[in-house]
Amino acid sequence: MAQFKRFLVLCSSKNVLHFPQNRNMKSSTFRAEKILEELKNNPYYEKYSKKISAFQNTSPEEFKIRMKEHHEKKSTKKGISGEERRFSSLSNPKEDITKLPSSTFTKQKTLNDVMKMELIEDKNCGEIKQIWEEYHKQKEVIAAAIPSIIYDTIHSRSQQFPVFVFPLPRDKGYEYFLCQFSGHEAHFTPLINYQAHKENAPECLTMTHYIDLKEKGLVLMHGEYNKDVLNGTEAQCLANQLQLYYGQGNAKRLKLLERFTYTPQEFKHMDLIAELECLSL
């Protein structure tokens, strides 16, 4: 049963299952059959078909309950977003960076740019983390309090691998987003925009790492995203992937960073999707 539940999670993360919006909750038999029929069209069905069949035969009522729970969860998510997430469209380029003052890109942002330092300067790490999270809770941004030792790894790798791409689940597959580091900032843009506009591609997510409290043991991250391109969950997904690749010691992910940077002819974009799907299991 655990494998079957993981299969449903995987399908949900890929947006490949589309359950019918049926308000008549009494027709459970028909709906379960219809959902099962849709499952058979999923490319992962063959791998789990025997376990699904065994689960359905040995615990038919439990099987219906699991299907119903997944259906309701899927419906709730769709209701919140209003529609399935679509691929980004080509945007207009931002102003030519060669015409902007060089100070625009060299000035390190400070914590005072987003909040008053006196609120946290006499607090310990645990208190600062709580204040930072509370401060951003009602704002349409993403935020994190990162231990300095982890950020040291992230920053070191960002200098070694300044550009990378991350996949994001969309309605009919995945969309790639290019991430480029500049100092203590990470700038994301849909790959389609980078291919069209290069360095003038407009950002859809900018993550700024404030190092003011690094000696205390914390680096505070503040991320702003373009709500026409990303929602909060998607922005957080990209931020999480950045931490997984740049902040952890996973040999497989490190190898992908190395291939993308040093031997691009050996790099396969599908490896990123496989890694993301493994995280969903």
Side-chain angles (χ1 to χ4, degrees):
M1 184 172 71
Q3 287 178 298
F4 171 64
K5 289 168 68 177
R6 289 199 295 269
F7 172 65
L8 290 180
V9 170
L10 175 61
C11 291
S12 179
S13 69
K14 291 181 64 184
N15 289 331
V16 295
L17 288 184
H18 303 282
F19 295 102
Q21 298 280 345
N22 191 336
R23 296 182 180 180
N24 183 5
M25 302 306 291
K26 294 181 180 180
S27 57
S28 58
T29 301
F30 169 77
R31 186 170 61 255
E33 291 176 354
K34 185 173 181 63
I35 295 173
L36 185 59
E37 187 64 31
E38 292 181 1
L39 283 175
K40 292 179 181 179
N41 294 326
N42 188 276
Y44 289 87
Y45 177 79
E46 189 65 28
K47 181 178 179 180
Y48 295 97
S49 59
K50 292 183 179 179
K51 292 190 177 292
I52 292 174
S53 179
F55 180 45
Q56 185 181 16
N57 292 331
T58 57
S59 305
E61 292 303 318
E62 179 69 11
F63 178 81
K64 291 178 182 178
I65 290 172
R66 295 297 179 187
M67 299 289 267
K68 178 182 177 182
E69 287 177 350
H70 182 70
H71 165 71
E72 291 175 347
K73 184 178 179 181
K74 186 79 172 179
S75 298
T76 299
K77 287 183 177 179
K78 187 171 182 178
I80 292 174
S81 64
E83 61 178 6
E84 296 289 352
R85 298 298 291 176
R86 299 176 181 174
F87 286 82
S88 302
S89 57
L90 187 63
S91 302
N92 294 323
K94 63 184 180 183
E95 186 176 353
D96 190 342
I97 62 173
T98 61
K99 299 178 181 179
L100 296 176
S102 59
S103 60
T104 302
F105 306 98
T106 58
K107 182 182 177 182
Q108 170 62 37
K109 295 180 181 178
T110 67
L111 209 49
N112 268 324
D113 295 328
V114 291
M115 72 180 302
K116 296 179 180 179
M117 279 291 291
E118 55 262 31
L119 293 175
I120 57 176
E121 59 185 3
D122 62 340
K123 307 295 184 181
N124 61 41
C125 287
E127 292 171 328
I128 292 172
K129 182 176 183 294
Q130 184 177 2
I131 291 172
W132 186 251
E133 291 174 351
E134 287 293 327
Y135 178 79
H136 289 89
K137 186 172 291 185
Q138 303 302 323
K139 302 178 184 296
E140 290 187 310
V141 297
I142 59 173
I146 307 169
S148 295
I149 190 171
I150 293 179
Y151 182 70
D152 285 341
T153 301
I154 293 174
H155 186 57
S156 174
R157 286 187 183 162
S158 74
Q159 295 176 308
Q160 186 178 3
F161 312 111
V163 179
F164 197 55
V165 290
F166 298 104
L168 194 64
R170 288 306 199 193
D171 181 17
K172 297 180 180 179
Y174 288 87
E175 179 176 9
Y176 288 98
F177 287 76
L178 183 135
C179 173
Q180 185 167 10
F181 289 89
S182 176
H184 295 284
E185 295 182 357
H187 301 269
F188 292 79
T189 186
L191 187 57
I192 185 177
N193 281 327
Y194 181 78
Q195 290 170 333
H197 306 305
K198 301 303 180 187
E199 66 272 10
N200 296 318
E203 296 95 341
C204 63
L205 169 63
T206 299
M207 294 169 53
T208 302
H209 298 91
Y210 296 96
I211 59 174
D212 308 61
L213 305 174
K214 190 172 181 297
E215 295 304 316
K216 275 195 169 187
L218 277 183
V219 172
L220 302 179
M221 187 277 286
H222 170 92
E224 297 184 353
Y225 55 91
N226 183 340
K227 289 178 282 294
D228 292 333
V229 181
L230 301 171
N231 60 32
T233 300
E234 292 165 337
Q236 189 64 59
C237 178
L238 291 173
N240 290 344
Q241 289 188 73
L242 183 149
Q243 183 174 350
L244 288 172
Y245 277 86
Y246 283 81
Q248 294 187 1
N250 183 282
K252 186 176 180 181
R253 295 180 201 128
L254 183 59
K255 191 67 176 179
L256 289 172
L257 287 170
E258 293 172 345
R259 284 177 182 169
F260 184 87
T261 305
Y262 302 125
T263 56
Q265 69 278 7
E266 299 178 6
F267 180 80
K268 298 178 181 179
H269 288 75
M270 290 302 295
D271 288 342
L272 298 177
I273 294 177
E275 188 66 19
L276 183 60
E277 290 180 345
C278 285
L279 296 173
S280 300
L281 293 175

